Structures are given as structure tokens and as C-alpha cells.
Amino acid sequence: MPSPLPVSPPTPGLSRAFDTALTALAPAVWGSTYLVTTELLPPGRPLLASTVRALPAGLVLLAIGRGLPRGAWWWRAVVLGALNIGIFFYLLFVAAYHLPGGVAALVVAVQPTVVLLLGAALLKEPIRPAQLAACLLGVAGVALLALTPQAGVDLAGIAAGLAAAVSMAAGIVLTKRWGRPEGVGVLTFTGWQLTAGGLLLAPVTLAVEGLPAGVSAANLEGFVYLSVIGALLAYAVWFRGIGRLPALAVSILGFASPLAATVLGYVVLGQRLTSLQFIGAAAVVAAVALAQSSQPPRAGRRAAGPSPASNQHHAPAVKGKP
């Protein structure tokens, strides 16, 4: 029997390009959050929207992965779930309810700059001029996309958007710093965070907002979309990307969110695009390209979890199916 042909290892450049393109799908999907919130969800219920988006998806992923955190990963999962999911979701929906989608996206667009600073402090990653230029170019591009004559300003929405950016930036950097436990798949890891964030939100939702008297078919459609597409699938892709790409490179991909929000406004709501918005879209794409090109080349494919040295101090997080 002839021996099988040898399989060539993936080209590092192509591998990174694939990881980048796949990870960018997550913020592109999140760009639809603003449209779904204003068009499909019941008004004035950011906590309910956040809880329904996170908790069902997290429980489904826990059932699929059949693994719970162990040791230090109990409190780490709670911290990451709060930063990446619970706190971030709530603040994002507050911003979405108070601001036009583009303006909300503009405020949250400061996130890569926060990641750049936190990465230097916690990950010991040097700040390169090209990275700083990519952050500034991206924010400028989002500003051109969002600051139309119809854009309104609401101080509560601005504050919520800024806080959301800081929350998720901290979550990205800590996720990169802690890695993923050995033997734990990305779906299980995502399920931990979505469940933790949803459980933090649920009692607050019941105490502050309560449940609506009724849910329309449009409301149900919006909730299902945000939970299945916007949380379960998008966050699995996102956390996979954090494990494979530098923290800033992942964060810069968040600029795809306001770009998608602008395109959806044009396609779905019939909003007109100005020449400045087209320039802004080009600036956003250029910022993403600059951020990716400024990263050092990968020597090889890294594991998503922590280094072997760090695993000597922690037992495997789960037994059974990863």
C-alpha cells in the first residue's frame, strides 16, 4: 500500500490571514446589534437584552462542552465573564438605547487604544509607532463614519460607551494573559464566560427591569438572533482569535463593528452615505491592515492555552470532553 503524501504545514502568513479574517466576522456581526436593538427589541430594557443574549447561549455551550472550571479558573471565569460579557453587554445596550448606532460605535472605538496601554502594562508588549497610528487612524475613520448631521449626543450614552470600551479592553488583555486551560476547547471556554456574565446579569435584570408583559414575534426574533449569532457563534470565533493573534491585532478588528453598522444602516434603513463616510470606511480598512502588518511574524502555530510552565501549577480544568 503506498504511503500517503506528506502534508505541508500551513504557511504562517496564510494562517494569520485566515485567523484575522475569521476573527473579524465577530465584530462585523456585533455591528448589527445597534440595528437589532432599535428595530426588534422591546424599548428601554438593556438588562433584559443583555441577559437573554448571554445566558441561553452560555448554557447551551456548557451542555455541549460538559466541562466546568476547576481551581483558579472558577474566579478567572467570573472575572472574564463580567468584563467580556456581563458588564460589557449592559453598557453596550445602554449606549445603543441612548445613541445612534454610529455614535455608539464611535465611542466604543477607543477600545484598541485602551488595549494598547493595558497590553504594555500587563503583557509587557512594547508600543510601536505603527500600532499607535493604526489606533488613531481607526478612530478617525469611525468618526467620519458616525458623525453625520443626524448624529445625536447623549451624555449617559457617551459614558456607557466609554465604560464598555474599557471593560472589554480589560477582558481582551486578561484573556490573552491567562490563556485557556489545557484540554479546554474554545466552545467550553466561551460557555464559561457567557454563563458567568449571564448569571451576573439575571438577578439584576429581575430586580431592576423585571419581565415584560408580553413578547412580540419581532422581539423573539431579535433575542434569538443576538443569542445564537451575536453571542454563541460570534464569541466562539472571537475567543479563538484572541488565542491565536496579538491582543492589539484582535482589538483593532473591532473597527469592523461600526463599519458593519454603517453598511447595515445604508442597506436596511435606507440611510445615505456621504463622501466623508466613504473616506472613513477606507480609513478603517487601512487601520486594520496597518495594525496587522505591524505585528511581529509568528514563528509557528501557538497553542491557545498557557505555557507548559504555567500548567505545572494548575490541574487540568476539566475531565472528559474538551
Side-chain angles (χ1 to χ4, degrees), residues 56-293:
L59 294 175
V60 167
L61 290 179
L62 282 185
I64 294 174
R66 293 183 296 175
L68 295 175
R70 297 184 66 182
W73 275 101
W74 276 107
W75 67 265
R76 287 182 177 182
V78 171
V79 171
L80 294 179
L83 293 173
N84 285 321
I85 309 298
I87 296 173
F88 175 71
F89 275 13
Y90 170 66
L91 293 171
L92 182 65
F93 277 109
V94 170
Y97 276 117
H98 283 78
L99 298 169
V103 179
L106 171 62
V107 177
V108 179
V110 303
Q111 179 201 113
T113 305
V114 181
V115 168
L116 188 66
L117 298 176
L118 289 178
L122 298 179
L123 304 178
K124 308 304 180 185
E125 294 180 348
I127 298 178
R128 297 179 174 85
Q131 294 174 327
L132 182 59
C135 291
L136 297 177
L137 180 61
V139 172
V142 174
L144 292 175
L145 282 171
L147 295 183
T148 63
Q150 295 78 28
V153 175
D154 181 290
L155 291 181
I158 296 293
L162 289 174
V166 173
S167 178
M168 194 170 190
I172 290 174
V173 173
L174 286 179
T175 301
K176 191 68 180 179
R177 179 181 175 90
W178 291 336
R180 196 168 73 234
E182 183 181 7
V184 175
V186 67
L187 293 182
T188 300
F189 188 62
T190 304
W192 291 355
Q193 298 189 52
L194 287 171
T195 302
L199 289 176
L200 289 173
L201 287 166
V204 182
T205 300
L206 294 175
V208 175
E209 292 180 358
L211 298 177
V215 177
S216 68
N219 296 158
L220 184 60
E221 180 183 347
F223 285 137
V224 170
Y225 174 83
L226 289 179
S227 182
V228 176
I229 306 299
L232 191 156
L233 296 178
Y235 268 95
V237 168
W238 184 248
F239 290 132
R240 175 191 179 278
I242 292 177
R244 292 168 177 258
L245 297 170
L248 181 66
V250 174
S251 184
I252 288 286
L253 293 176
F255 288 137
S257 181
L259 183 59
T262 301
V263 172
L264 286 172
Y266 172 77
V267 174
V268 179
L269 302 179
Q271 297 173 346
R272 298 180 60 186
L273 297 182
T274 66
S275 56
L276 287 179
Q277 287 179 302
F278 282 109
I279 295 174
V284 167
V285 174
V288 172
L290 179 60
Q292 304 307 316
S293 64

